[in-house]
Amino acid sequence: MDDYPLLDLFLTMLFFFLWVMWLFLLFRVVMDIFRDGDLSGWGKAGWLIFCIVLPYIGVLVYVIARGRGMGQRDVKQARDAEAAFKDYIRKTAAEDETTTGSGTASGGTGDLARLAELHDSGKLTDEEFAQAKTKLLT
Protein backbone atom coordinates (compact mmCIF):
# COMPACT_ATOMS: atom_id res chain seq x y z
CA MET A 1 0.00 0.00 0.00
CA ASP A 2 2.98 2.31 0.52
CA ASP A 3 3.80 2.05 -3.19
CA TYR A 4 0.62 3.90 -4.15
CA PRO A 5 -0.18 6.80 -1.80
CA LEU A 6 -3.70 8.04 -1.24
CA LEU A 7 -3.12 11.25 -3.22
CA ASP A 8 -2.01 9.24 -6.27
CA LEU A 9 -5.13 7.09 -5.97
CA PHE A 10 -7.28 10.21 -5.79
CA LEU A 11 -5.59 11.74 -8.85
CA THR A 12 -5.95 8.50 -10.80
CA MET A 13 -9.66 8.35 -10.00
CA LEU A 14 -10.06 12.03 -10.93
CA PHE A 15 -8.35 11.56 -14.29
CA PHE A 16 -10.38 8.43 -14.98
CA PHE A 17 -13.60 10.28 -14.14
CA LEU A 18 -12.64 13.21 -16.40
CA TRP A 19 -11.75 10.80 -19.20
CA VAL A 20 -15.14 9.06 -18.94
CA MET A 21 -16.89 12.45 -18.91
CA TRP A 22 -14.97 13.50 -22.01
CA LEU A 23 -15.88 10.24 -23.80
CA PHE A 24 -19.53 10.82 -22.95
CA LEU A 25 -19.30 14.36 -24.33
CA LEU A 26 -17.53 13.12 -27.47
CA PHE A 27 -20.30 10.61 -28.19
CA ARG A 28 -22.93 13.28 -27.50
CA VAL A 29 -21.27 15.63 -29.98
CA VAL A 30 -20.95 12.96 -32.67
CA MET A 31 -24.62 11.98 -32.22
CA ASP A 32 -25.63 15.65 -32.42
CA ILE A 33 -23.61 16.15 -35.60
CA PHE A 34 -25.53 13.36 -37.32
CA ARG A 35 -28.89 14.40 -35.84
CA ASP A 36 -28.66 18.04 -36.97
CA GLY A 37 -30.78 18.54 -40.06
CA ASP A 38 -29.51 22.09 -40.64
CA LEU A 39 -25.92 20.99 -41.34
CA SER A 40 -25.04 19.96 -44.87
CA GLY A 41 -23.17 16.75 -45.56
CA TRP A 42 -19.91 18.67 -45.92
CA GLY A 43 -20.55 20.50 -42.66
CA LYS A 44 -21.14 17.21 -40.86
CA ALA A 45 -18.00 15.72 -42.39
CA GLY A 46 -15.97 18.79 -41.42
CA TRP A 47 -17.10 18.76 -37.80
CA LEU A 48 -16.58 15.00 -37.58
CA ILE A 49 -13.04 15.23 -38.99
CA PHE A 50 -12.30 18.13 -36.64
CA CYS A 51 -13.50 16.09 -33.65
CA ILE A 52 -11.48 13.03 -34.72
CA VAL A 53 -8.21 14.76 -35.67
CA LEU A 54 -8.17 17.19 -32.73
CA PRO A 55 -10.56 15.52 -30.31
CA TYR A 56 -10.25 17.74 -27.23
CA ILE A 57 -10.18 21.01 -29.13
CA GLY A 58 -12.80 19.84 -31.65
CA VAL A 59 -15.32 18.83 -28.99
CA LEU A 60 -14.70 22.01 -27.00
CA VAL A 61 -15.13 24.24 -30.07
CA TYR A 62 -18.28 22.35 -31.12
CA VAL A 63 -19.86 22.76 -27.69
CA ILE A 64 -18.98 26.47 -27.65
CA ALA A 65 -20.17 27.10 -31.21
CA ARG A 66 -23.25 24.87 -31.32
CA GLY A 67 -24.07 24.06 -27.68
CA ARG A 68 -27.33 26.01 -27.61
CA GLY A 69 -28.54 24.15 -30.69
CA MET A 70 -27.74 20.82 -29.01
CA GLY A 71 -30.19 21.62 -26.23
CA GLN A 72 -32.85 22.80 -28.63
CA ARG A 73 -32.53 19.64 -30.72
CA ASP A 74 -32.87 17.52 -27.55
CA VAL A 75 -36.05 19.35 -26.56
CA LYS A 76 -37.46 19.03 -30.08
CA GLN A 77 -36.71 15.31 -30.17
CA ALA A 78 -38.43 14.79 -26.80
CA ARG A 79 -41.51 16.75 -27.95
CA ASP A 80 -41.68 14.81 -31.21
CA ALA A 81 -41.42 11.50 -29.36
CA GLU A 82 -44.19 12.53 -26.95
CA ALA A 83 -46.43 13.68 -29.80
CA ALA A 84 -45.85 10.43 -31.69
CA PHE A 85 -46.67 8.43 -28.56
CA LYS A 86 -49.92 10.36 -27.97
CA ASP A 87 -50.85 9.97 -31.64
CA TYR A 88 -50.22 6.23 -31.40
CA ILE A 89 -52.49 6.00 -28.36
CA ARG A 90 -55.27 7.91 -30.10
CA LYS A 91 -55.02 5.72 -33.21
CA THR A 92 -54.96 2.54 -31.16
CA ALA A 93 -57.98 3.62 -29.14
CA ALA A 94 -59.84 4.56 -32.33
CA GLU A 95 -58.99 1.21 -33.99
CA ASP A 96 -60.01 -0.62 -30.86
CA GLU A 97 -63.36 1.16 -30.83
CA THR A 98 -64.07 0.46 -34.50
CA THR A 99 -63.28 -3.23 -34.19
CA THR A 100 -65.36 -3.81 -31.06
CA GLY A 101 -68.13 -1.28 -31.68
CA SER A 102 -69.27 1.48 -29.40
CA GLY A 103 -71.32 -0.77 -27.16
CA THR A 104 -74.81 -2.12 -27.38
CA ALA A 105 -76.16 -0.63 -24.18
CA SER A 106 -78.67 2.18 -24.34
CA GLY A 107 -77.00 5.22 -25.93
CA GLY A 108 -74.48 7.00 -23.74
CA THR A 109 -74.28 4.32 -21.06
CA GLY A 110 -72.47 1.92 -23.38
CA ASP A 111 -70.18 4.69 -24.58
CA LEU A 112 -69.34 5.63 -20.99
CA ALA A 113 -68.57 2.01 -20.18
CA ARG A 114 -66.31 1.79 -23.24
CA LEU A 115 -64.51 5.00 -22.23
CA ALA A 116 -63.98 3.61 -18.74
CA GLU A 117 -62.50 0.42 -20.24
CA LEU A 118 -60.14 2.42 -22.44
CA HIS A 119 -59.10 4.59 -19.50
CA ASP A 120 -58.54 1.61 -17.20
CA SER A 121 -56.46 -0.20 -19.82
CA GLY A 122 -54.23 2.88 -20.20
CA LYS A 123 -55.21 3.70 -23.75
CA LEU A 124 -56.64 7.07 -22.70
CA THR A 125 -54.98 9.61 -20.43
CA ASP A 126 -56.88 11.24 -17.60
CA GLU A 127 -57.30 14.41 -19.65
CA GLU A 128 -58.58 12.57 -22.73
CA PHE A 129 -60.98 10.55 -20.58
CA ALA A 130 -62.35 13.69 -18.91
CA GLN A 131 -62.83 15.45 -22.26
CA ALA A 132 -64.58 12.48 -23.86
CA LYS A 133 -66.78 11.99 -20.81
CA THR A 134 -67.78 15.68 -20.88
CA LYS A 135 -68.68 15.37 -24.56
CA LEU A 136 -70.85 12.33 -23.92
CA LEU A 137 -72.67 13.84 -20.97
CA THR A 138 -73.48 17.15 -22.63
Side-chain angles (χ1 to χ4, degrees):
M1 191 78 179
D2 292 332
D3 299 318
Y4 205 65
L6 187 60
L7 182 61
D8 287 343
L9 177 66
F10 174 74
L11 288 175
T12 301
M13 290 174 62
L14 178 68
F15 290 139
F16 181 74
F17 176 73
L18 290 174
W19 181 73
V20 168
M21 276 183 28
W22 178 81
L23 276 178
F24 176 76
L25 185 60
L26 174 68
F27 288 121
R28 264 305 282 245
V29 165
V30 170
M31 294 292 288
D32 189 67
I33 288 171
F34 286 109
R35 181 176 47 185
D36 189 6
D38 296 337
L39 275 177
S40 67
W42 287 107
K44 290 178 183 185
W47 276 113
L48 195 59
I49 289 171
F50 189 42
C51 288
I52 290 173
V53 172
L54 299 170
Y56 293 104
I57 295 172
V59 167
L60 185 63
V61 169
Y62 186 86
V63 169
I64 291 170
R66 301 181 51 85
R68 180 172 293 168
M70 287 176 71
Q72 291 170 349
R73 282 184 289 280
D74 283 342
V75 168
K76 183 183 178 305
Q77 183 181 16
R79 285 183 183 154
D80 290 347
E82 182 180 1
F85 180 69
K86 286 183 178 181
D87 187 47
Y88 170 75
I89 289 175
R90 283 188 202 99
K91 286 180 182 176
T92 304
E95 287 174 6
D96 220 17
E97 189 150 318
T98 59
T99 57
T100 59
S102 61
T104 57
S106 62
T109 309
D111 291 336
L112 279 175
R114 183 71 186 134
L115 277 176
E117 285 177 25
L118 289 171
H119 182 255
D120 292 340
S121 67
K123 293 181 180 177
L124 288 178
T125 63
D126 292 335
E127 296 169 357
E128 292 170 331
F129 176 71
Q131 288 174 355
K133 183 177 167 184
T134 305
K135 282 183 184 178
L136 282 175
L137 294 176
T138 55

